[in-house]
Structure formats: structure tokens, C-alpha cells
Amino acid sequence: MYISLSDRSGGKRGKSPNEQAALSKVPFRLSPVIVWLGIVSMVTDVSSESVTAILPLYITGFLGLSTIAFGFIDGINQGASAIVRIAAGWASDRSGHPKRIALAGYGLSMLARIGFLFAGGFWAIAAIVTGDRIGKGIRTAPRDALITVSAQPEHLARSFGMHRMLDNIGAAAGPLIAFLILLVIPNGFSTVFVVSLAFAVIGVAVLGLVVPDLHARSAKDASKGQRLLAFSWRHFKEPGLGKLLVAAGLLGLVTIGDGFIYLVLQDRDSFAVQWFPLLFVGTNVAFLVMAVPLGRLADRLGRVPVFIAGHVALLACYFLAAAPLGGLWATLTCLLLLGAFYAATDGVLAALASQLTPEGKLATGIASAQTVVALSRMAASAGFGVLWYAVGASTAVTIAGILLACVVVAVIFILPGARPGRAGA
């Protein structure tokens, strides 16, 4: 069975007003495939986020490395997946079997978890993080292609929001598990690594045994019995997709890693290190609570305005983190704003990319947007680590906030639908 991708725009492109009104009244139904993919992402995020939550402390505290070293590793964490994202998307489109490509990515990340049990130096950690992120790069676009072909076109962003909600239950649970382990076993980093591996194995098993292998060819290609065309950069010269890639890249260059924000908050408030993983919990809880409502809002009001609003929330987070306010409420507000940023941008970016991608190149188009974001954020993390070392935490975050404000203004003019009085994309 082949599922048509010919109407991925959620009724917003190529439809008459009457047809758009009819589509907007279609009741939302969540595909079981999306639920199972959400469960896979949930347990995988328990695995990955339990490690991510302790990595800043493990590197700068337990191993005693500098913020420059952490910036380098965090840059790998942000951007190493870019090495293979487009290739994995192309392979998914070419084969018509996105599940197989996604399974390879999840499997590689699972194997990388074993390395954490034995690594104890900078280069070993860097190599393991690279392997784990390459696995993420392989799996992400094929997984999102499976979501797209399983979702109702008129509720695409909302379907991504439902997946991201399940995903972030795991993203919240992982740091919480790490917190409980460190609370019971001080310096119990190896125990966290063992638990992380166990959840990674569960994720691979669920994907391999339960999720169906949907074909992601277009209906046109399926009916002709043809294989998909080879990858071509010409597809990314489409006006809408090209502008999205430029905007996503500029915004990524001024998006610093979450771990740096949390280190800034700890530096400002000087709370005990065992509470550090709870910062990740707070952000991910906010993300999962807001993912579905903001996805639904993006489908109704326009995906571009919601995407821009998410970066405005990130801007507010930066300035609040840099301000000499301190206290529990200031920290909680930062976590809320950071969660809102992810809820308004993560699934919405994938929905935008799928909407603007030429037919038959779905996974490749999604992967291209994710690659641009990953590469730009990798550069941002490495640069911010040096900036922190040079001027201090608060000043570095303030500079990042000023740059982000400038880029947000520029992106409003780059993306169609971002300015008042224009239809949302």
C-alpha cells in the first residue's frame, strides 16, 4: 500500500476558500503509527536525556574540563547529526522504506550508549557523542516522514505536536531518573549510563517489532511502478523552502545549547549540583504541555507566525537568564520560556519543511531543514563556549540575546506569512 503525499499543506495551498473551510472541519484522528513512533521516541529520549542532563556536570565538574571543552562537545551534540541527515533522508526516499533507515539510526545510538560505560576522557566522550548523534541524524527524517504519511494533511502540525508530546514525556522522565540516581548515589554517573542503555534497547525493540513499514513514495510514482529520482539540490531552490532554510540557519547560529543556559542559571543561583538534572525536567515538561496546543495553533493561524513567536520566547529566556534577578521564580520562568520555544519550533519546522518540499522528496526536504539547524547550532555552541570563557557567563548570554533579536527581525522579512496582514504559511 502506498500513501499519497500530494496534499501535505494542510489545506493551505492550492485550495479554494470553500475547500479550505471544509478541510478545517475534518475531525482530528491520531494514527496508531504516530502513537507507536511516539512511544519509541519516548523511551529513546529517556535514554538520551538522562545522559544529556548530567553531561554538563560530568564534563565540567567530574572530569574537570573547561567550558570551551564543553562547548565543543555540546556543538557535536547539536550538529554531528547533520553529517548524515540529508543522506538518510535521500535513502529513505530512494528505498520507499523509511522504517528501515530509522531502525538503523536508533540501533547506532543504542550501540553508542555502551561506550559511555568505558569512556573517561575528552576525546572518548567526543567520539561517543558523535556516534550517538549520527544515529539521531539517520533516524530523524525517516521517522518524521512516517509521521507525515500517517497524519491527516489538515492536521499535520498537530500530529507532529502529539508525537513531540509523547517524545517529551521521555525527555522529562530521563533527567528525573538521572536526578534520582544521583540523589541516591552521589557521583553515580556510571549507573545513569547503564539505565540509559536499557531504555535504548527497549526503543529499538518496539520500533522493530511493532511499527509497520509504511511505504513513503508518492502516489504518482507508486502507480507508475518507478523508483524515486536521485537526490538533486535543485529541489531546494524552491522559493519557499529556500527561504525557510536561510531563516532556520540564521536562527540556529544564535541559538545556544540548553546546557549552557542551565550552567548560567546554576552559576547565578549557586544551587546544589544534584538539582541540576531537574532543569532539563522543567523544560521538557513545559515542552510536552505546550506541544499539542501550539501545533494546533500553527495549523489554524499559520505555522510561520508560531515559529517566529517561539524564537521570541527564546529571546526572553536569554535576557531573563542574564539578568541579576535570581531566585526560584526567575529560574522556573526561564524553563517555561525555553519549553515554549521548543514547542513552537520543533514540530512546526518539520511541518513547514514537509509543506514546502517538492513531491516525492519528503524525507530529504525535512532532513535539509534539520541539517541546516544542526550545523548552525553546532557552530553556535562552540562559539558560545569561547565567548563565555572570554567575557563571562552573563555578558555572553546578553550578547547572544542581542544577536538573536536582530536575527528575529531579519527573519520576519525573509519568511512569507511572518508579517502582520499576510497569510500564514
Side-chain angles (χ1 to χ4, degrees), residues 30-310:
L30 183 63
S31 168
V33 175
I34 297 176
V35 174
W36 282 116
L37 287 170
I39 292 172
V40 171
S41 294
M42 179 175 65
V43 294
T44 301
D45 259 23
V46 172
S47 172
S48 61
E49 294 300 321
S50 60
V51 173
T52 300
I54 65 172
L55 208 56
L57 290 178
Y58 185 67
I59 293 171
T60 62
F62 189 79
L63 297 181
L65 302 177
S66 69
T67 57
I68 296 178
F70 173 68
F72 183 82
I73 293 177
D74 189 61
I76 294 174
N77 194 36
Q78 296 282 348
S81 61
I83 298 172
V84 294
R85 280 181 188 261
I86 292 179
W90 173 82
S92 174
D93 288 330
R94 178 74 176 176
S95 68
H97 294 279
K99 175 188 169 178
R100 299 177 185 177
I101 308 301
L103 187 60
Y106 280 103
L108 178 58
S109 292
M110 179 190 70
L111 294 176
R113 296 275 175 255
I114 300 174
F116 279 113
L117 300 176
F118 306 100
F122 170 78
W123 291 110
I125 294 294
I128 292 167
V129 171
T130 299
D132 175 52
R133 294 297 90 182
I134 288 176
K136 178 178 176 62
I138 292 173
R139 70 182 184 247
T140 301
R143 180 205 65 200
D144 285 351
L146 283 171
I147 293 172
T148 301
V149 300
S150 303
Q152 298 164 288
E154 58 277 1
H155 296 295
L156 182 58
R158 186 176 179 184
S159 295
F160 272 106
M162 292 296 296
H163 171 267
R164 297 309 193 254
M165 182 188 71
L166 291 170
D167 178 275
N168 278 277
I169 291 174
L176 183 59
I177 291 172
F179 162 72
L180 293 174
I181 291 173
L182 293 183
L183 191 64
V184 175
I185 310 173
N187 293 328
F189 297 106
S190 60
T191 304
V192 175
F193 297 147
V194 171
V195 172
S196 170
L197 175 61
F199 277 98
V201 172
I202 294 171
V204 170
V206 173
L207 177 63
L209 298 175
V210 181
V211 176
D213 187 16
L214 298 179
H215 293 247
R217 296 182 188 178
S218 69
K220 180 180 178 181
D221 285 335
S223 64
K224 291 183 178 179
Q226 297 174 343
R227 295 185 62 84
L228 292 172
L229 297 175
F231 169 77
S232 173
W233 283 105
R234 290 177 298 174
H235 290 295
F236 305 119
K237 295 179 181 179
E238 297 277 331
L241 184 60
K243 290 180 179 179
L244 179 64
L245 296 180
V246 171
L250 290 174
L251 290 167
L253 285 173
V254 288
T255 301
I256 62 178
D258 297 354
F260 276 120
I261 296 176
Y262 302 148
L263 287 173
V264 169
L265 294 176
Q266 186 194 30
D267 181 68
R268 184 184 68 185
D269 295 342
S270 300
F271 51 80
V273 294
Q274 63 261 33
W275 298 100
F276 190 83
L278 292 185
L279 299 176
F280 291 83
V281 175
T283 295
N284 288 313
V285 167
F287 186 174
L288 73 88
V289 168
M290 288 184 278
V292 173
L294 289 179
R296 186 176 182 181
L297 184 67
D299 283 329
R300 288 187 173 185
L301 300 183
R303 292 160 190 165
V304 169
V306 172
F307 183 70
I308 296 292

Side-chain angles (χ1 to χ4, degrees), residues 247 249-254 402-412 414:
L250 290 174
L251 290 167
L253 285 173
V254 288
I402 293 171
L403 293 175
L404 177 58
C406 295
V407 171
V408 166
V409 172
V411 167
I412 289 174
I414 293 173

